[in-house]
Amino acid sequence: MPGVFGESATVYRAGGSGGRGRAVPPVLLALRRFPNPRLTGIGAGLFAALTMFVLACLDRLLFDSSELVYGLLFLPVSALTALWVRPADLVTAPISVPIAFAVGVFPISGGPGGFGGQVMGLVTALAVHAGWLYGGTLVAGLIASVRKVLHMRARQRYLVAQGRTGAVGAEKAPRPAPRAPKKKVAGAGAPAGRAERPRASR
């Protein structure tokens, strides 16, 4: 049940004046039809890392390793990572996003040949892209925090509703009728063989 609270995709229509239903805005309908998977912490991290790596490769091929394009693509990936991780692993979203950023920036770092040159290029790219890195991490952290608060409130309302339902059910339950006291039969409590025999008349 923890992953279901406050995240229903059912569309409701609120009744207005004159008996007419108020239609749901098309934007909300589109958002509710959007895919809503529930990824574990590791799954969300792999999704973010692979997505950013593929986008960085496309950025290198199509836009000549543009920093602006990579940073703009990082923001929606961060938001989707925080939206698609399951409620039990919300704390992992702000941690997975910076790792995914570092994995994705490697193809566009543009360092010189050799292992040392590639590492220096990666460190330089991370320093140059620090603004986008902080921005995406902040987006993921805010979305995860809002989802956590909403989940806790929905769970609290659910527990309160369950408590009220149980209390009402206990009040309406019929009480058992009092049992009548059993009448003691004379001699029933005496042990067998010791019952008094009637005395013979002399």
Side-chain angles (χ1 to χ4, degrees):
M1 297 297 293
V4 184
F5 297 117
E7 296 177 358
S8 176
T10 308
V11 178
Y12 296 96
R13 292 182 179 273
S17 59
R20 296 181 180 179
R22 186 176 58 187
V24 179
V27 178
L28 294 180
L29 290 176
L31 289 176
R32 288 171 179 175
R33 292 174 184 173
F34 197 74
N36 191 22
R38 281 293 165 262
L39 303 175
T40 61
I42 298 177
L46 290 176
F47 160 76
L50 292 177
T51 303
M52 292 309 303
F53 185 81
V54 172
L55 292 177
C57 293
L58 294 176
D59 181 22
R60 183 175 181 177
L61 293 175
L62 301 177
F63 302 100
D64 195 19
S65 302
S66 174
E67 302 175 359
L68 179 62
V69 173
Y70 182 79
L72 291 176
L73 293 175
F74 176 64
L75 296 180
V77 172
S78 302
L80 290 178
T81 303
L83 285 173
W84 286 353
V85 68
R86 62 182 184 178
D89 297 328
L90 282 172
V91 69
T92 62
I95 303 174
S96 303
V97 166
I99 298 175
F101 185 88
V103 172
V105 83
F106 183 77
I108 63 174
S109 58
F115 179 76
Q118 293 292 333
V119 172
M120 290 302 298
L122 179 61
V123 173
T124 304
L126 289 176
V128 173
H129 295 67
W132 295 110
L133 175 60
Y134 294 149
T137 306
L138 180 62
V139 169
L142 288 177
I143 294 177
S145 300
V146 172
R147 284 191 59 197
K148 186 66 175 180
V149 172
L150 294 178
H151 175 70
M152 293 176 62
R153 289 182 178 178
R155 182 175 177 83
Q156 186 176 6
R157 288 194 298 266
Y158 174 79
L159 294 177
V160 171
Q162 289 295 321
R164 291 178 179 176
T165 304
V168 172
E171 292 178 357
K172 291 184 178 180
R175 296 182 180 179
R179 298 181 179 180
K182 295 182 179 180
K183 297 181 180 180
K184 294 183 179 180
V185 181
R194 291 188 178 183
E196 295 184 358
R197 299 179 180 178
R199 297 180 180 179
S201 57
R202 294 181 181 180

